[in-house]
Amino acid sequence: MIDIKDRVRNKALHSKIVTAEEAAAIIKSNMNVGVSGFTPSGYPKAVPLALAERMKKEKFKINLWTGASVGSELDGALSEANGIARRLPYQTNKSLRNKINNGEIQYVDLHLSHVAQMVRYGFLDKVDVAIVEACAITEEGYIIPTTSLGNTASYVQSADIVIVEINTTQPLELEGMHDVYIPMDPPNRVPIPLIKINDRIGTTYIPVDHDKITYIVPCDRPDVTRSLSEISDDDLAISSNLIDFFNSEVKHGRLPKNLLPLQSGVGSVANAVTAGIVRSQYTHLNVYTEVIQDGMFDLIDAGKLDFASGTALSPSPEGLKRFYENIDEYRNKILLRPQEISNNPGIARRLGVIAMNTAIEFDIYGNVNSSHIMGSKMMNGIGGSGDFARNGYLTIFFTKSTAKNGAISSIVPMCSHVDHTEHDTDVFITELGIADVRGLSPKERARVIIKNCVHPDYKPMLMDYLERAEKATGFAHTPNLLDEALSWHSRFLSTKSMKLNG
Amino acid sequence: MIDIKDRVRNKALHSKIVTAEEAAAIIKSNMNVGVSGFTPSGYPKAVPLALAERMKKEKFKINLWTGASVGSELDGALSEANGIARRLPYQTNKSLRNKINNGEIQYVDLHLSHVAQMVRYGFLDKVDVAIVEACAITEEGYIIPTTSLGNTASYVQSADIVIVEINTTQPLELEGMHDVYIPMDPPNRVPIPLIKINDRIGTTYIPVDHDKITYIVPCDRPDVTRSLSEISDDDLAISSNLIDFFNSEVKHGRLPKNLLPLQSGVGSVANAVTAGIVRSQYTHLNVYTEVIQDGMFDLIDAGKLDFASGTALSPSPEGLKRFYENIDEYRNKILLRPQEISNNPGIARRLGVIAMNTAIEFDIYGNVNSSHIMGSKMMNGIGGSGDFARNGYLTIFFTKSTAKNGAISSIVPMCSHVDHTEHDTDVFITELGIADVRGLSPKERARVIIKNCVHPDYKPMLMDYLERAEKATGFAHTPNLLDEALSWHSRFLSTKSMKLNG
């Protein structure tokens, strides 16, 4: 058993060590609580569980602000205790999602790079309490984060009260893997001095006035990370199409031989894509992304990765074990940054990031829905896709051509919700092919997308829509039949299929 | 009569002086022609008119790439001569718009800051010919631009052939008002070193290898600028609401006393807004925008402007006269930059630009349509609004609550085209009020927008839609009735009114 006093190197702070229950007691109804955590990694666990127990008895709610999704000890426990009034900026928890979609929880779905500065600007009210998972506290009283950085540093800076959970399952070797940089706010902001993926521009710790550290709580619960999604044949076909596209771009001189910094979302398609890159001829790769998963270790082991920068280290349970076992090697190739920096659109544009994200659906004119199911229900949120997509060097969206065993076409006449506009997208890839729509007008885009990306079951229906819309509008710029544009989604809601004779 | 040889200071280039007809003869069918010009300012006139004459006889088309909208001698003459196959990235010309909306011209509607780098990256094919309006050519053979900078420098850099029109109506005092900076491309790009609005980071001229200058053509046609749109009572009310909003933000410490750099679109609302700021108590203002119009001269004359940075100087005919008469004073307060810099999202975020743009329509959930009429027809394009809106400090959209004498509600259940997503917008202002939607969920946003911004004729209809959508979807995150969401637009197309008993 590790004594957490060994990890609280500033001895004056030892007097602040309390139980999770004692710390949780400081949190009152309607407070804004900012927490560490991004994907299920680096989030506080002990205090939230204690808080959830109090909520069950005392019936009160808080506003919960995170980096992105967090583990079930936080989003699950608090939403099940009916303890969340307002939640931002991203989530993936089933219980929480249900309450977002039944009116119980107000959810604010934000670009992930925007959150910290919105807090500092005072646009979201102040952070009453920050709860932060840490590896250790330094002699100076500064916080060493764990497996994610997210919005933690800004929440700590803005909070009145800081509760630090020292997680003894997180290895001390994580120290040195973070680069904490908080930009000055306008009118005093200067260029963020990051030029190369591996540039260090900040500190390895989160600076904090230690008077603000109100409680320190021990925690021995590990990150409950997700297993890797299984890779299907369709995922492999998407990955293979991507490599073909890269090969063509390199051949035509539009990408260097080692590509440009890669950003990739999470999920089975993203896993397949990374696996495809591991198998490909590309070497000296760089990654500038949000979430670092198992594939990065594969790239390092294959000698193909120069460096990976992210804001969260979120491998599978097996991947986490592998990381811990080889931490001395992997830590030299990986840096975690605040999500304001990892996802910064200006830096994505400067570095020339290749933005690769998964769409729920896209339409024939190149608009993308990343967040909503059938126009009304929230799935997870936009996440970081908007941070990267608009300002990437190349903006690629993936999806399987159909969902629900073919009952849904992922390519529709009009998106039922738009998260990325036609002005933001370059390339669409399904298991069936690649639609490169750069420099094309909407009517041209529609034909390339229908031809290359759409499932045969839906191809004639989409061509029919396009041709009738062209005639009805006199070949307007973006021909749409307004009475029909969303009818595919309506039909699915009433017949459980987008097909005409579903 | 000015001899253009006085303006071509590099004497070796005198041999390249030809007539517009001789220069236009080098342009062949299907060429990509990149021109100077942004709003009707600084665009070439003599060569395009000569080219249009050739097109009428020889029946051929080119692809025309500009900075943004250009004058009728270019967009008007070439489209009327059936000479444009493809056009990007923005336009406002009636003849051109008609052909975009009848299938004759392929139009690619792009974020204005993206164009130059897309050309350099090779995503849009190469520039065959650049036609550039200039004040003068320096001793070194470099080009001094005129009243706009736009994409000119990148088109010149990328072109095989450069034609320079020396416009003798443009005063030589324009020399020194430009700051030409072309970023290196990834993986070699470094931070753009602009920290203050008035920082000079480049050259006062466009560098060019003078072997590429193939022809030099005299031109004595002035910019055909647009008269100021008349300011209505509704425009004044919008402007007054904006000042109220600024006052409140300053009072709450969310904006400094001299605000932050202002970006503003063009048109009657923008004019009213600038006029309102001139009359307000605010001083030491800074402007970081695309287009500099008459209002800037008013701000300078009132002693309220510290500095204005833009990419085009596009005042009214009277404003242009005023500018020329006071050029020695005004030129110290104004700098023109490439649109890749004036509209750079990373710089907008760094400086903390207050992005103020006019919407065609927005919906109750905070999505904005800036480009399309009733879902299909192109109006002008997204322009620079997306460059500023997503990454501004504050993102404000204006519109009058109704259009077409009340037959159209500018606030609808669902936008018929989305250019700015719900994730990008902070504040909506109509003549009726201000909806500040920061930190709100979609259902909350809907209530604030309906209450504060919607015309009384449409308020009950929108509340009815919202409440029925909530019930039908079980209070889903973004409640929508897919069969009705676009019915307001459909109804307008069939009955000429969005009202139920129109």
Side-chain angles (χ1 to χ4, degrees):
Chain A
M1 177 100 189
I2 302 167
D3 184 349
I4 75 157
K5 285 185 181 161
D6 296 341
R7 291 192 172 210
V8 181
R9 298 177 202 146
N10 181 305
K11 293 200 169 48
L13 290 171
H14 286 186
S15 63
K16 304 203 172 173
I17 298 172
V18 298
T19 64
E21 289 70 24
E22 286 173 274
I26 207 167
I27 297 166
K28 311 291 179 209
S29 175
N30 212 29
M31 276 187 167
N32 298 320
V33 178
V35 300
S36 65
F38 193 109
T39 58
S41 65
Y43 56 97
K45 298 152 187 96
V47 177
L49 287 173
L51 179 63
E53 288 307 309
R54 258 189 70 208
M55 284 169 163
K56 283 185 207 162
K57 289 175 206 144
E58 300 175 28
K59 311 281 178 211
F60 68 97
K61 295 186 184 196
I62 59 158
N63 306 312
L64 180 62
W65 305 352
T66 64
S69 58
V70 286
S72 62
E73 303 90 332
L74 191 43
D75 270 344
L78 295 195
S79 67
E80 282 156 25
N82 293 318
I84 304 178
R86 185 175 299 272
R87 176 74 172 82
L88 62 82
Y90 184 78
Q91 60 77 38
T92 58
N93 182 276
K94 193 177 171 187
S95 158
L96 181 58
R97 181 186 301 127
N98 287 341
K99 286 171 193 283
I100 288 169
N101 285 316
N102 73 10
E104 287 182 53
I105 293 178
Q106 304 303 324
Y107 179 49
V108 191
D109 178 20
L110 297 170
H111 295 296
L112 296 185
S113 80
H114 284 196
V115 183
Q117 70 178 27
M118 288 180 81
V119 171
R120 294 197 308 272
Y121 296 171
F123 292 178
L124 299 174
D125 212 341
K126 66 169 182 162
V127 182
D128 296 299
V129 179
I131 316 176
V132 177
E133 180 175 279
C135 246
I137 293 178
T138 67
E139 285 77 1
E140 298 81 6
Y142 300 150
I143 297 166
I144 307 292
T146 61
T147 37
S148 69
L149 204 36
N151 289 318
T152 315
S154 272
Y155 289 158
V156 166
Q157 188 186 75
S158 304
D160 294 333
I161 293 168
V162 176
I163 300 172
V164 181
E165 272 194 28
I166 302 288
N167 192 317
T168 50
T169 74
Q170 297 277 22
L172 286 169
E173 287 87 348
L174 289 169
E175 187 170 351
M177 288 191 68
H178 307 91
D179 187 54
V180 179
Y181 177 94
I182 302 181
M184 299 279 283
D185 289 330
N188 301 313
R189 189 172 291 175
V190 296
I192 299 167
L194 192 156
I195 299 176
K196 294 210 172 67
I197 305 287
N198 61 345
D199 279 346
R200 283 195 163 277
I201 61 174
T203 56
T204 54
Y205 52 80
I206 297 172
V208 57
D209 173 356
H210 34 134
D211 289 347
K212 282 215 292 197
I213 299 183
T214 306
Y215 294 123
I216 298 170
V217 174
C219 177
D220 60 2
R221 293 172 163 271
D223 282 341
V224 180
T225 57
R226 286 179 289 226
S227 293
L228 283 187
S229 322
E230 203 143 330
I231 297 177
S232 67
D233 288 347
D234 285 345
D235 297 330
L236 287 173
I238 289 172
S239 166
S240 161
N241 287 336
L242 175 72
I243 300 294
D244 288 349
F245 172 74
F246 282 160
N247 294 346
S248 165
E249 290 298 293
V250 172
K251 189 177 153 195
H252 289 97
R254 292 188 292 258
L255 275 178
K257 279 203 169 77
N258 69 335
L259 308 177
L260 281 167
L262 303 169
Q263 176 265 328
S264 168
V266 297
S268 63
V269 175
N271 294 340
V273 161
T274 309
I277 294 170
V278 173
R279 284 192 309 273
S280 75
Q281 78 277 30
Y282 294 108
T283 58
H284 290 294
L285 294 166
N286 284 288
V287 169
Y288 197 79
T289 195
E290 281 178 1
V291 181
I292 291 170
Q293 297 192 290
D294 301 41
M296 283 311 120
F297 309 143
D298 297 335
L299 277 175
I300 293 174
D301 290 353
K304 294 188 166 189
L305 182 83
D306 278 4
F307 207 81
S309 165
T311 191
L313 195 63
S314 197
S316 68
E318 307 75 48
L320 195 61
K321 194 161 166 276
R322 178 177 170 195
F323 171 70
Y324 287 162
E325 285 169 5
N326 300 282
I327 194 164
D328 287 336
E329 187 194 349
Y330 292 152
R331 71 200 296 279
N332 297 319
K333 300 261 186 183
I334 297 173
L335 210 53
L336 300 181
R337 306 179 184 279
Q339 67 196 69
E340 186 172 6
I341 305 299
S342 66
N343 286 32
N344 192 282
I347 295 178
R349 184 154 168 165
R350 183 190 298 163
L351 297 174
V353 165
I354 300 175
M356 304 186 287
N357 291 284
T358 303
I360 290 177
E361 64 182 2
F362 56 91
D363 66 31
I364 55 175
Y365 299 120
N367 301 286
V368 173
N369 171 14
S370 297
S371 59
H372 282 66
I373 304 295
M374 303 296 148
S376 300
K377 288 207 173 174
M378 172 52 59
M379 182 68 197
N380 299 327
I382 188 169
S385 56
D387 291 323
F388 293 104
R390 180 170 293 171
N391 281 289
Y393 183 91
L394 264 172
T395 297
I396 303 169
F397 280 95
F398 307 116
T399 183
K400 296 181 200 182
S401 66
T402 61
K404 297 259 175 204
N405 293 317
I408 290 175
S409 174
S410 305
I411 299 94
V412 291
M414 181 185 273
C415 280
S416 60
H417 185 88
V418 174
D419 295 296
H420 308 287
T421 75
E422 50 150 338
H423 318 284
D424 303 331
T425 55
D426 293 323
V427 176
F428 295 93
I429 298 182
T430 66
E431 77 282 8
L432 299 167
I434 305 160
D436 178 355
V437 301
R438 288 174 291 178
L440 300 185
S441 71
K443 292 186 284 269
E444 293 173 325
R445 278 179 230 150
R447 285 179 165 80
V448 174
I449 287 172
I450 295 171
K451 180 168 173 245
N452 295 355
C453 290
V454 172
H455 191 275
D457 287 355
Y458 292 100
K459 227 175 228 192
M461 288 170 67
L462 281 173
M463 270 312 294
D464 175 61
Y465 176 85
L466 173 63
E467 287 172 357
R468 285 186 298 112
E470 286 181 335
K471 272 185 207 157
T473 63
F475 293 83
H477 182 62
T478 307
N480 271 308
L481 300 168
L482 297 178
D483 295 337
E484 263 187 57
L486 300 172
S487 66
W488 292 36
H489 304 86
S490 276
R491 190 157 55 240
F492 177 82
L493 289 176
S494 57
T495 71
K496 304 249 189 274
S497 174
M498 285 186 173
K499 290 178 186 166
L500 279 169
N501 308 305
Chain B
M1 176 96 190
I2 301 167
D3 184 348
I4 73 155
K5 284 186 184 164
D6 295 341
R7 291 192 172 212
V8 182
R9 298 177 203 146
N10 180 307
K11 293 201 167 48
L13 289 172
H14 286 186
S15 62
K16 305 206 172 173
I17 299 172
V18 298
T19 63
E21 289 70 23
E22 286 173 274
I26 206 167
I27 297 165
K28 311 292 180 209
S29 176
N30 212 29
M31 275 185 168
N32 298 321
V33 178
V35 300
S36 66
F38 193 108
T39 57
S41 66
Y43 56 98
K45 299 154 186 93
V47 176
L49 287 172
L51 179 63
E53 287 307 309
R54 258 189 71 208
M55 283 170 164
K56 283 187 208 161
K57 287 175 207 141
E58 299 176 31
K59 311 281 178 212
F60 68 98
K61 295 185 185 198
I62 59 159
N63 305 314
L64 180 62
W65 304 354
T66 65
S69 59
V70 286
S72 62
E73 303 89 333
L74 190 42
D75 270 345
L78 295 196
S79 67
E80 283 156 25
N82 293 319
I84 304 178
R86 186 176 299 273
R87 176 75 171 80
L88 62 83
Y90 185 79
Q91 60 77 38
T92 59
N93 182 276
K94 193 177 171 185
S95 157
L96 181 58
R97 181 187 300 125
N98 287 341
K99 286 172 194 280
I100 288 168
N101 285 316
N102 73 9
E104 287 182 55
I105 294 178
Q106 304 303 323
Y107 179 49
V108 191
D109 179 21
L110 297 170
H111 294 298
L112 296 185
S113 80
H114 284 195
V115 184
Q117 69 178 29
M118 287 180 81
V119 171
R120 295 197 308 271
Y121 295 170
F123 291 178
L124 299 174
D125 213 342
K126 65 171 185 162
V127 182
D128 295 300
V129 179
I131 315 177
V132 177
E133 180 174 282
C135 244
I137 294 179
T138 68
E139 286 78 1
E140 298 81 6
Y142 300 150
I143 297 166
I144 307 292
T146 62
T147 36
S148 68
L149 203 36
N151 290 317
T152 314
S154 271
Y155 289 157
V156 165
Q157 187 186 75
S158 304
D160 293 334
I161 293 168
V162 175
I163 299 173
V164 181
E165 271 194 31
I166 302 288
N167 191 316
T168 51
T169 75
Q170 298 276 23
L172 286 170
E173 286 86 350
L174 289 170
E175 188 170 350
M177 289 190 68
H178 307 91
D179 188 53
V180 180
Y181 177 93
I182 302 181
M184 298 279 282
D185 290 330
N188 301 313
R189 189 172 292 175
V190 296
I192 299 167
L194 192 156
I195 299 176
K196 294 210 173 66
I197 305 288
N198 61 345
D199 279 346
R200 282 197 163 276
I201 61 174
T203 57
T204 55
Y205 52 81
I206 297 172
V208 57
D209 172 356
H210 33 134
D211 289 347
K212 282 217 290 199
I213 299 184
T214 306
Y215 294 123
I216 298 169
V217 173
C219 176
D220 60 3
R221 292 172 164 270
D223 281 340
V224 180
T225 58
R226 286 178 289 225
S227 293
L228 284 188
S229 323
E230 203 143 329
I231 296 178
S232 68
D233 289 347
D234 285 346
D235 296 330
L236 287 173
I238 290 173
S239 165
S240 162
N241 286 338
L242 175 72
I243 299 294
D244 287 348
F245 173 73
F246 282 161
N247 294 346
S248 165
E249 289 298 292
V250 172
K251 189 177 152 197
H252 289 96
R254 291 188 293 259
L255 275 178
K257 281 205 169 76
N258 69 333
L259 307 179
L260 282 167
L262 303 168
Q263 176 266 328
S264 168
V266 297
S268 62
V269 175
N271 293 339
V273 160
T274 310
I277 294 170
V278 172
R279 282 190 312 272
S280 76
Q281 77 278 26
Y282 293 107
T283 58
H284 290 294
L285 295 166
N286 285 288
V287 169
Y288 197 79
T289 195
E290 281 178 2
V291 181
I292 291 169
Q293 296 192 290
D294 300 42
M296 283 312 121
F297 309 144
D298 297 335
L299 277 176
I300 293 174
D301 290 353
K304 295 188 167 190
L305 182 83
D306 278 4
F307 207 81
S309 165
T311 191
L313 196 63
S314 196
S316 68
E318 306 74 49
L320 194 62
K321 192 160 168 276
R322 180 179 169 194
F323 171 70
Y324 287 162
E325 284 169 5
N326 300 283
I327 195 163
D328 287 335
E329 187 195 351
Y330 292 152
R331 71 200 296 281
N332 298 320
K333 299 263 186 183
I334 297 173
L335 210 52
L336 300 181
R337 305 180 186 278
Q339 67 196 70
E340 187 173 7
I341 305 299
S342 67
N343 286 32
N344 192 282
I347 294 178
R349 185 155 168 166
R350 182 190 300 163
L351 298 173
V353 165
I354 300 175
M356 304 185 288
N357 292 283
T358 303
I360 290 177
E361 65 182 2
F362 56 91
D363 66 32
I364 55 175
Y365 298 120
N367 301 285
V368 172
N369 170 15
S370 297
S371 60
H372 282 66
I373 304 295
M374 303 296 147
S376 300
K377 288 206 173 175
M378 172 53 59
M379 182 69 196
N380 299 327
I382 188 169
S385 56
D387 291 323
F388 293 105
R390 180 169 294 171
N391 281 291
Y393 182 91
L394 265 172
T395 296
I396 303 170
F397 280 95
F398 307 116
T399 184
K400 296 180 199 179
S401 67
T402 62
K404 297 261 175 201
N405 293 318
I408 291 176
S409 173
S410 305
I411 299 95
V412 291
M414 181 185 272
C415 280
S416 60
H417 186 89
V418 175
D419 294 297
H420 309 287
T421 75
E422 50 151 339
H423 318 283
D424 302 332
T425 56
D426 295 321
V427 176
F428 295 93
I429 298 181
T430 67
E431 77 282 10
L432 299 167
I434 304 160
D436 178 354
V437 301
R438 287 174 291 178
L440 301 185
S441 71
K443 292 187 284 272
E444 294 173 325
R445 279 180 228 149
R447 285 178 167 80
V448 174
I449 287 173
I450 294 171
K451 179 168 173 242
N452 295 354
C453 291
V454 171
H455 191 276
D457 287 356
Y458 292 100
K459 229 175 227 190
M461 288 169 67
L462 281 174
M463 270 313 293
D464 175 60
Y465 176 85
L466 173 62
E467 287 171 358
R468 286 187 296 112
E470 285 180 334
K471 272 186 207 156
T473 63
F475 293 82
H477 182 61
T478 308
N480 270 308
L481 300 168
L482 297 178
D483 294 337
E484 265 188 55
L486 300 172
S487 66
W488 292 37
H489 303 87
S490 276
R491 190 157 56 241
F492 178 81
L493 289 176
S494 56
T495 71
K496 303 246 187 281
S497 174
M498 285 186 174
K499 290 179 187 166
L500 279 167
N501 308 306

